[in-house]
Amino acid sequence: LCPAAGGTGLCSGRLEVNSDPSDPSWSSVCEADFDQQDAQVVCRQLGCGAPSVLQGALYGEGEAPMGTKEFQCGGHESALLDCSSASERSTCSPGTAVSLTCSEPVRLVGGESRCAGDLELEHQGEWRPVGDSLWTLKEAGVACRELDCDSAVSVGLRKESSERDVWRIRPDCVESGSALRECAAAYFSSYSLTLTCSDSVRLLGGTGLCSGRLEVNSDPSDPSWSSVCEADFDQQDAQVVCRQLGCGAPSVLQGALYGEGEAPMGTKEFQCGGHESALLDCSSASERSTCSPGTAVSLTCS
């Protein structure tokens, strides 16, 4: 697999596949034969994070011939060639070679939300804290975007009780546009990089980060949150919220399961296709003025 062809790093580019190890030739993949579940498998196989952009010819058509195989992944497989394949097609429209952007394998741990905590990076097959890196909000903003959070609010170093193995990420390398992993080097430090990003969705009142009453902040410059009316929210919207939170697929979608809360009821109806990486990327329909009591969306993601 060589999805970095034409991209900006190891985790983005035009997707190319080699189905036969004895044959050195590669082929592109037709956009019509590739979906979000297939993208999840490719990103996992490359050691990257979740897919954030799936688009035809975003990184050009390339010179590789168009493959004829349609992949049918469930999303849980560890390699694309582990997926079943359907009948092969003979034609594919120009401009539809799959291009893919996977998020960097980064996470925030120990914080009060998925967008706050100590930054950790997976590199060379190993998760380590990011430490001893003097970042500004500019570099922190890069990590926030990789985490599908909004802008960086604060960044700092927290001293641990003892030194440990960390990844040190050079700020100048991040500013140059390189991927975080390409800027990482093994180091030994007692400092951990702690980061807070703003966020646009959260689940409150549940048993963890992946369940609760849904609240949305549509404007990063405004600290207020609003609930969502059950009539304005469906399974495709739930898929996007669960993906944005770094959780699994939605398992329960029910009004007021975790209470009504104090947030005012929002008036926006979201219209997601289910493939978007963030709820605010979805289109919205005309706004409603009323919503019945007891119908604030509650959601449980696996």
Side-chain angles (χ1 to χ4, degrees):
L1 289 172
C2 186
T8 56
L10 297 175
C11 294
S12 67
R14 184 180 60 257
L15 175 63
E16 295 186 359
V17 179
N18 179 347
S19 302
D20 183 358
S22 65
D23 182 351
S25 61
W26 294 79
S27 60
S28 297
V29 178
C30 186
E31 187 178 25
D33 296 333
F34 198 82
D35 62 14
Q36 191 71 19
Q37 286 70 36
D38 303 332
Q40 289 173 356
V41 174
V42 169
C43 290
R44 180 181 304 117
Q45 183 172 358
L46 291 167
C48 303
S52 55
V53 178
L54 172 58
Q55 184 175 335
L58 181 64
Y59 297 110
E61 282 294 287
E63 298 178 2
M66 187 67 70
T68 57
K69 183 178 292 186
E70 178 183 355
F71 296 100
Q72 295 182 326
C73 301
H76 59 276
E77 299 87 351
S78 57
L80 186 62
L81 297 185
D82 292 341
C83 303
S84 60
S85 57
S87 55
E88 300 190 347
R89 69 170 63 232
S90 57
T91 60
C92 185
S93 303
T96 57
V98 167
S99 290
L100 180 61
T101 298
C102 313
S103 58
E104 285 287 316
V106 292
R107 64 189 181 192
L108 292 170
V109 299
E112 294 183 355
S113 75
R114 71 176 193 94
C115 289
D118 293 343
L119 183 64
E120 292 187 351
L121 171 72
E122 185 186 30
H123 183 45
Q124 298 174 350
E126 184 178 355
W127 283 98
R128 291 186 188 179
V130 174
D132 211 50
S133 303
L134 296 175
W135 281 15
T136 66
L137 288 177
K138 184 175 182 180
E139 293 85 46
V142 173
C144 289
R145 288 190 293 274
E146 293 291 355
L147 291 159
D148 276 336
C149 301
D150 295 316
S151 58
V153 176
S154 66
V155 62
L157 290 173
R158 184 169 59 82
K159 186 171 175 58
E160 304 288 344
S161 57
S162 61
E163 291 189 330
R164 54 182 178 167
D165 291 324
V166 300
W167 296 119
R168 188 178 191 181
I169 300 179
R170 301 195 330 270
D172 59 328
C173 180
V174 176
E175 287 185 26
S176 72
S178 298
L180 295 177
R181 283 192 298 172
E182 296 172 345
C183 300
Y187 204 68
F188 205 56
S189 174
S190 59
Y191 287 92
S192 294
L193 190 74
T194 183
L195 181 61
T196 300
C197 314
S198 59
D199 199 5
S200 57
V201 296
R202 64 186 183 186
L203 295 174
L204 297 180
T207 55
L209 294 176
C210 293
S211 65
R213 183 180 62 260
L214 175 63
E215 294 190 356
V216 178
N217 179 348
S218 301
D219 182 358
S221 64
D222 182 352
S224 61
W225 294 78
S226 60
S227 297
V228 177
C229 187
E230 188 179 24
D232 297 332
F233 199 81
D234 62 15
Q235 191 71 17
Q236 285 71 36
D237 304 331
Q239 288 174 355
V240 174
V241 169
C242 291
R243 180 179 305 119
Q244 183 173 354
L245 291 170
C247 304
S251 56
V252 178
L253 171 59
Q254 184 176 336
L257 181 64
Y258 296 107
E260 282 293 288
E262 298 178 2
M265 187 66 69
T267 57
K268 183 177 291 186
E269 178 183 355
F270 296 99
Q271 295 183 324
C272 302
H275 60 275
E276 298 87 351
S277 58
L279 186 63
L280 296 186
D281 291 342
C282 303
S283 60
S284 56
S286 56
E287 299 190 345
R288 69 169 63 235
S289 56
T290 60
C291 185
S292 303
T295 56
V297 166
S298 288
L299 179 61
T300 298
C301 311
S302 55

